Amino acid sequence: MRTSRSVRAGQYLALLAYLVFLAFPFLWLVSTAFKPPRELGSLHPTWIPKDPTLANFRQAFDEQPLLDALLNSLVAAVGAAVVAVLIATPMAYVIARHRGLLARAATGWVVVSQAFPFVLVVIPLFLVLKNLRLINSVPGLVMVYVVWALPFALWMLVGYVRAVPPELEEAAAVDGAGR
């Protein structure tokens, strides 16, 4: 059934209004970043700064170690992703290929851990990190991210491994490949 042009125009108009709604905070942030301090405190705010300046950026980089924070975030994110995938890949293979008690238990763990509120995990995780002396450290943050990401990574990889046909493994075994 074809939609009429007026319905299609209404859909596009609603989408445009939604995009403007989503873009407003970002545009305001960009506009505010270039305003001098006297214009920030003005009772009549404007979209476009009257006297744009880069002093705000200079001050932010001088007062805060933003580049160090960016590097720490990058290391923590990449490290957690790599560790989660390295741990989840063999687990996903076992769950996808072996239909035993272990696979069912692991699948149950994934489902329960995704339904479990993270707030209930924070205190025990904090105590573990405190005992390992990893509070306020990048390796500690990587551990927290891995704890959070591992069930999801496992769930995604199980679906991927199940999509690989077992015949492909059998053909590789004939050619001499191991599991």
Side-chain angles (χ1 to χ4, degrees):
M1 185 163 137
R2 297 182 65 190
T3 57
S4 69
R5 288 184 183 206
S6 59
V7 170
R8 179 69 73 188
Q11 288 173 339
Y12 282 122
L13 188 64
L15 180 62
L16 181 65
Y18 184 63
L19 288 175
V20 168
F21 174 75
L22 290 179
F24 173 76
F26 179 73
L27 293 174
W28 189 258
L29 176 125
V30 170
S31 170
T32 304
F34 292 101
K35 291 180 181 178
R38 70 178 184 282
E39 204 173 326
L40 286 174
S42 171
L43 293 176
H44 304 289
T46 59
W47 274 101
I48 299 172
K50 294 175 184 156
D51 188 23
T53 180
L54 294 174
N56 297 332
F57 294 98
R58 222 174 291 116
Q59 181 182 1
F61 279 97
D62 288 343
E63 292 180 7
Q64 298 293 325
L66 295 178
L67 294 177
D68 292 340
L70 178 68
L71 182 65
N72 286 341
S73 295
L74 183 68
V75 168
V78 170
V82 168
V83 170
V85 168
L86 287 175
I87 294 172
T89 301
M91 291 174 68
Y93 179 79
V94 169
I95 292 171
R97 293 292 186 240
H98 304 290
R99 306 285 180 157
L101 180 63
L102 177 66
R104 284 197 302 268
T107 303
W109 169 75
V110 169
V111 171
V112 168
S113 67
Q114 287 295 308
F116 208 69
F118 194 66
V119 172
L120 298 178
V121 179
V122 169
I123 292 174
L125 194 56
F126 173 77
L127 294 175
V128 168
L129 291 175
K130 182 180 169 189
N131 289 337
L132 294 174
R133 293 189 172 96
L134 291 174
I135 300 293
N136 289 332
S137 69
V138 174
L141 187 60
V142 169
M143 275 183 60
V144 171
Y145 285 168
V146 168
V147 166
W148 183 250
L150 188 59
F152 181 74
L154 183 59
W155 191 260
M156 292 289 108
L157 285 170
V158 165
Y160 176 75
V161 172
R162 282 190 180 144
V164 175
E167 293 81 19
L168 193 61
E169 280 183 53
E170 293 166 5
V174 168
D175 290 339
R179 286 195 181 270

